[in-house]
Amino acid sequence: MKKFVTLSSILALTSALSTASAATTVDYWLWDSAQLPAYQQCAKDFTKLNPDINIKITQKGWDDYWTGITTGFVAGTAPDVFTNHLSKYPEFAANGQIVDFAPWIKRDSVKTNIYLEGLYSLWGRDGKQYGLPKDWDTVAIIYNKDMLKKAGISEKTLNALKWNPKDGGSFEKVIAQLTLDQNGNNGLSKNFDKTKVKQYGLLNPYDPNPYGQTGWSWLAVSNGFKYNDGLYATKYYYDDPRLAETIQWLTDLSLKKGFLIPYKDIRGLGANSQFVAGKGAMTTDGSWMIKWYIDNAKFDVGFALLPVGPTGKRTSMFNGLADSIWVGSKKKEEAWKWVKYLGSPACENVVGKYGAVFPAVNSGVNLALATHKKNGADVSAFTKTAKAKGSTFLFPITDNASQINSIMTTALENVFLGKTPAAEALKEANQKVNALFK
Amino acid sequence: MTVQTQPTQARKNRKSMAWEHFLAWFGILLVILLSIFPIWIVLKTALSSSTTLFESGGQLLPSEPTLDNFKRVLGMVTAEEALKAGGSGQSVNFLKSIWNSVIFTGLIVIGQTFFSALAAYAFARLKFPFRDQIFTLFLTAMMIPGIVLFIPNFITIKNLGWLNTMQGLVAPYILMTPFAVFFLRQFFLSIPRETEEAAVLDGASPFMIFWKVVLPMSQGPLATLGILTTIGMWNEFFWPYLIGKDESVYTLPVALQQFQTQTPQGSPDWTGLMSGAFLSIIPVFILLLIMGKRVIESLAFSGGK
């Protein structure tokens, strides 16, 4: 029975995994490891100001993160404060899982006009406020400078492209010109062999989801499409023919013409990895990835404005993150202090200096631009779009996000894989989506 | 092997024998290659630098071989450097996770084998009311897919306040699994009764018989069960993932999750993930080297799991 005795003693030992500390510890979660160093710095500064509060930061990958948050709500193990996303927060708010800041904002007279326009209201509903903005992002073209030089396309040309869904405009011409087959013919040549593509003109991330943030939203909206009629609308317009022709144009560009990497090749690896591996000349991505591209590409990376669409505008989604507090937190006051600090210029300037994302306050944005400039990167394509009037549209926030997500993902994947025509798939998906609100 | 035939016959035989040998070896080599190939790809990816990984997808040798990924996994570089290396900037607390995995696996293997043996012996040899009905219930329990038990088990563990603790991690497995009980019972039934009767005549209690006679005679199947459980539990992911949300109780498979996608449109950190995966294979691999023969015997013995 010796074995058995040691067994119970081991059990006793392992259960003694408690840590003792005098100060209150606030648990804070985020998903983007690129932002971790910046927020660790913020936490250090915060604890200097508030010696009685420690911040314990946990970072988990995107999928794991949301599983952890949602199971944590139920199991009572969710963090006190966590980075929230616009596609997720309405459901948390509807289920009463996150704290409404409105009374506290009033009580502590927190300045809410310091943020870039539109960011603050994204996080509110019916007079309630579920987050304080901490950063924002827009989308731009990311390109391989060497490939562009070889093709003889100037950066000026690239920043002044026009697109339409009929013939693709000058945008499609440039994509074709940047596509090379194994014999060195580009997409404009008669001898171009689309079965043996060596270098794609565009590596679109496709984004088969209800938002298409980096994949198709900037094309569709510049073609006059809109998702719905604004915050918490109860009707979507996914059956708009202007969306269908956009999606179809993308699909044909890949499956019929071979200028765009096929969706099946993007699925597992992601467009970003393929881009840094030199598989294509351009990709489109959000500003939170700037640092990643600069760190991971062995060639010079450039950033250019998105093309102008049939509406005469170039458009990009304008999206932002905020921090929320879990209703079940036992340290709400300390958590609120931390959230306030995260949304204050003090922390946002630190985040700006690290250059991982664009902070939600203007002073931080300028610091971020300066940091990138110092590293030799001109990322003004992202900020120009954010500041141009009528250029940005907001992330579509409504109820039923997770169901809409599964409906739209299935529909769009089928289109991108060439199984169903866009018009048909989107019409059907839109009916299903709108039925959710009835 | 000796073949006794006429000399002429022998030559013919030798010829066909050689041919058969060649075929057999060829077949074995092919299977070995097929099974080693995925592990090689894991190792190749682990040794590649993340920036060049996708340029050399089809190559068999790593491009720009580097040990950086292993260093990253073992936390020998700072987060900043790891990010520069194309990683997720995350290092797994590898030693802690290995330790957790060892404790988790060890506790379960010892506990499950011992308690299952007790139950199996009761079913095989002791007489008590409704014994056979209870055993039928047991066998029925084997038919329940594990996945449906996760939610009730999770709620139980939560109500016990055992989330993020080692006892919460091992609780569903440490006492028994129907398979283990069934497997050992079959073996105990085959032990000749005479030996036990002799022990009874010497005045041994049922427990003494179990402890001094039956267990020593069943070392083979007990070891088998231990090895099978070890391999299974070392790789167990879902339960530890549900219960252990805190880094202090991550087992290895859960810790490797850190290399997942870091941003909504990002891609996983493949090189880091593969280094971690490769390192996590090593302990089980060593176990198989030492106990390989036993495992093969036991699999044949148990008819595979």
Side-chain angles (χ1 to χ4, degrees):
Chain A
M1 282 308 294
K2 257 189 199 145
K3 254 182 200 167
F4 187 48
V5 174
T6 50
L7 182 98
S8 52
S9 56
I10 292 174
L11 258 181
L13 272 177
T14 50
S15 60
L17 278 170
S18 59
T19 49
S21 71
T24 324
T25 302
V26 171
D27 266 319
Y28 177 55
W29 284 16
L30 49 88
W31 67 77
D32 188 353
S33 58
Q35 298 177 37
L36 188 62
Y39 285 106
Q40 273 166 336
Q41 186 58 47
C42 279
K44 261 188 212 148
D45 300 347
F46 176 78
T47 303
K48 253 187 213 140
L49 296 170
N50 304 280
D52 56 333
I53 307 175
N54 274 327
I55 305 294
K56 185 183 167 214
I57 303 184
T58 306
Q59 178 269 334
K60 292 166 180 270
W62 173 257
D63 296 321
D64 189 20
Y65 180 86
W66 294 110
T67 327
I69 295 276
T70 44
T71 52
F73 284 153
V74 180
T77 53
D80 301 299
V81 183
F82 64 99
T83 303
N84 212 339
H85 193 266
L86 289 169
S87 63
K88 310 275 181 185
Y89 102 83
E91 278 175 52
F92 299 159
N95 295 336
Q97 288 158 329
I98 47 180
V99 175
D100 167 26
F101 295 161
W104 292 346
I105 290 171
K106 224 166 135 174
R107 183 192 72 189
D108 304 350
S109 35
V110 177
K111 279 197 190 120
T112 56
N113 56 359
I114 57 169
Y115 305 110
L116 270 78
E117 207 180 329
L119 284 182
Y120 181 77
S121 58
L122 280 175
W123 293 93
R125 183 179 193 176
D126 307 333
K128 293 190 165 120
Q129 188 69 21
Y130 295 103
L132 283 186
K134 54 191 232 165
D135 64 20
W136 59 266
D137 49 73
T138 51
V139 178
I141 293 176
I142 290 126
Y143 63 95
N144 181 324
K145 285 189 177 175
D146 305 347
M147 288 181 183
L148 232 75
K149 256 197 209 99
K150 278 200 188 100
I153 297 166
S154 75
E155 295 180 10
K156 207 171 155 193
T157 316
L158 195 62
N159 277 300
L161 295 175
K162 284 197 162 47
W163 171 81
N164 68 67
K166 305 280 180 296
D167 63 4
S170 55
F171 184 47
E172 181 168 333
K173 275 202 190 69
V174 164
I175 295 173
Q177 202 179 333
L178 287 165
T179 309
L180 301 173
D181 67 9
Q182 279 165 352
N183 306 322
N185 296 317
N186 74 22
L188 296 171
S189 129
K190 278 201 189 74
N191 306 324
F192 173 71
D193 182 353
K194 68 172 184 192
T195 59
K196 293 198 174 69
V197 179
K198 194 178 73 165
Q199 167 187 318
Y200 289 99
L202 178 66
L203 302 171
N204 185 291
Y206 286 97
D207 253 355
N209 59 46
Y211 319 110
Q213 183 172 7
T214 58
W216 49 261
S217 66
W218 44 276
L219 286 166
V221 177
S222 76
N223 192 26
F225 163 76
K226 65 175 182 178
Y227 296 88
N228 55 33
D229 292 323
L231 280 179
Y232 294 105
T234 52
K235 187 174 173 224
Y236 273 90
Y237 301 119
Y238 286 125
D239 55 353
D240 185 334
R242 287 170 300 190
L243 174 65
E245 62 185 8
T246 306
I247 300 287
Q248 199 59 54
W249 175 81
L250 274 174
T251 312
D252 294 346
L253 205 64
S254 69
L255 299 178
K256 282 191 183 152
K257 296 176 181 167
F259 302 157
L260 188 65
I261 194 162
Y263 173 58
K264 63 177 173 55
D265 293 353
I266 292 281
R267 228 172 166 174
L269 299 176
N272 50 2
S273 324
Q274 302 266 20
F275 177 77
V276 296
K279 297 261 193 272
M282 299 187 284
T283 183
T284 48
D285 213 333
S287 50
W288 64 89
M289 290 292 280
I290 294 172
K291 203 171 149 77
W292 187 91
Y293 281 105
I294 293 171
D295 284 347
N296 283 273
K298 288 189 302 183
F299 45 84
D300 263 349
V301 182
F303 304 91
L305 294 166
L306 292 166
V308 174
T311 54
K313 283 198 176 121
R314 67 176 96 250
T315 58
S316 156
M317 189 178 280
F318 186 58
N319 176 30
L321 304 180
D323 294 300
S324 296
I325 296 179
W326 173 44
V327 162
S329 164
K330 293 190 174 54
K331 308 149 187 163
K332 288 202 184 70
E333 279 301 333
E334 290 88 349
W336 171 236
K337 257 192 186 164
W338 171 236
V339 170
K340 266 194 301 190
Y341 187 77
L342 286 168
S344 73
C347 174
E348 305 221 349
N349 289 346
V350 168
V351 173
K353 269 194 205 123
Y354 273 87
V357 282
F358 290 119
V361 300
N362 257 321
S363 56
V365 176
N366 297 334
L367 284 167
L369 283 172
T371 302
H372 287 301
K373 235 194 185 83
K374 210 169 65 199
N375 300 336
D378 176 8
V379 296
S380 57
F382 294 98
T383 48
K384 270 183 196 151
T385 310
K387 285 176 179 164
K389 268 236 169 317
S391 258
T392 55
F393 54 93
L394 295 173
F395 194 94
I397 300 171
T398 65
D399 291 321
N400 303 319
S402 46
Q403 283 147 299
I404 295 173
N405 192 29
S406 65
I407 294 169
M408 290 307 294
T409 303
T410 315
L412 285 167
E413 280 197 324
N414 284 335
V415 178
F416 290 140
L417 291 168
K419 288 181 187 163
T420 33
E424 197 182 306
L426 287 165
K427 208 179 175 111
E428 192 190 333
N430 195 56
Q431 277 166 356
K432 281 187 198 161
V433 167
N434 287 335
L436 296 172
F437 293 94
K438 290 202 171 82
Chain B
M1 191 170 166
T2 52
V3 190
Q4 294 174 330
T5 43
Q6 300 298 334
T8 46
Q9 203 48 44
R11 200 174 314 146
K12 251 190 205 160
N13 267 2
R14 243 202 306 271
K15 236 188 179 157
S16 69
M17 283 267 299
W19 179 238
E20 279 167 17
H21 264 241
F22 171 75
L23 262 185
W25 274 109
F26 182 77
I28 289 172
L29 274 176
L30 198 72
V31 172
I32 288 176
L33 277 178
L34 278 176
S35 33
I36 286 192
F37 187 70
I39 297 179
W40 172 247
I41 291 295
V42 168
L43 186 60
K44 179 214 126 173
T45 309
L47 290 168
S48 301
S49 77
S50 63
T51 41
T52 57
L53 178 67
F54 299 110
E55 295 166 34
S56 61
Q59 288 174 15
L60 281 178
L61 289 173
S63 53
E64 296 186 16
T66 166
L67 287 173
D68 280 355
N69 301 313
F70 288 105
K71 282 187 192 146
R72 273 200 295 135
V73 170
L74 295 169
M76 289 148 89
V77 292
T78 64
E80 293 272 324
E81 284 168 2
L83 280 173
K84 282 258 186 317
S88 56
Q90 281 303 83
S91 65
V92 171
N93 192 339
F94 205 80
L95 293 175
K96 177 86 192 152
S97 311
I98 279 250
W99 177 238
N100 284 338
S101 269
V102 167
I103 298 263
F104 173 77
T105 311
L107 283 178
I108 289 173
V109 169
I110 294 165
Q112 198 184 93
T113 313
F114 177 72
F115 294 121
S116 298
L118 281 175
Y121 186 68
F123 280 129
R125 286 286 186 262
L126 305 183
K127 291 190 177 63
F128 53 91
F130 305 118
R131 184 183 79 176
D132 295 333
Q133 287 82 339
I134 294 175
F135 188 67
T136 314
L137 266 181
F138 241 77
L139 290 187
T140 325
M142 275 177 83
M143 308 296 161
I144 301 174
I147 199 84
V148 302
L149 299 172
F150 275 117
I151 292 174
N153 279 346
F154 179 87
I155 293 168
T156 309
I157 297 294
K158 179 189 176 250
N159 292 341
L160 285 168
W162 284 2
L163 291 175
N164 293 332
T165 62
M166 190 51 83
Q167 60 267 39
L169 289 181
V170 299
Y173 304 104
I174 195 157
L175 290 177
M176 63 111 211
T177 59
F179 167 78
V181 175
F182 175 73
F183 171 74
L184 289 174
R185 174 182 172 267
Q186 293 310 94
F187 184 81
F188 293 158
L189 283 175
S190 69
I191 292 179
R193 274 184 186 270
E194 290 80 10
T195 43
E196 287 170 76
E197 278 162 4
V200 173
L201 290 177
D202 287 342
S205 65
F207 185 78
M208 279 302 274
I209 296 171
F210 168 75
W211 191 245
K212 293 266 184 213
V213 179
V214 176
L215 280 193
M217 286 176 81
S218 332
Q219 279 176 357
L222 288 174
T224 301
L225 195 65
I227 293 164
L228 290 179
T229 313
T230 304
I231 296 170
M233 285 300 138
W234 186 262
N235 296 326
E236 176 63 34
F237 168 76
F238 199 61
W239 180 256
Y241 171 64
L242 274 182
I243 297 296
K245 286 286 177 209
D246 193 82
E247 211 171 343
S248 60
V249 288
Y250 278 177
T251 58
L252 258 187
V254 178
L256 289 179
Q257 278 239 304
Q258 308 241 27
F259 297 109
Q260 271 200 321
T261 315
Q262 299 297 321
T263 56
Q265 279 93 6
S267 57
D269 171 10
W270 291 111
T271 50
L273 181 63
M274 292 304 160
S275 319
F278 186 77
L279 290 176
S280 75
I281 295 170
I282 293 172
V284 176
F285 185 70
I286 291 170
L287 182 85
L288 284 176
L289 279 184
I290 301 167
M291 307 286 250
K293 224 176 170 157
R294 262 242 151 97
V295 174
I296 291 164
E297 279 169 14
S298 59
L299 283 173
F301 185 91
S302 67
K305 203 180 164 186

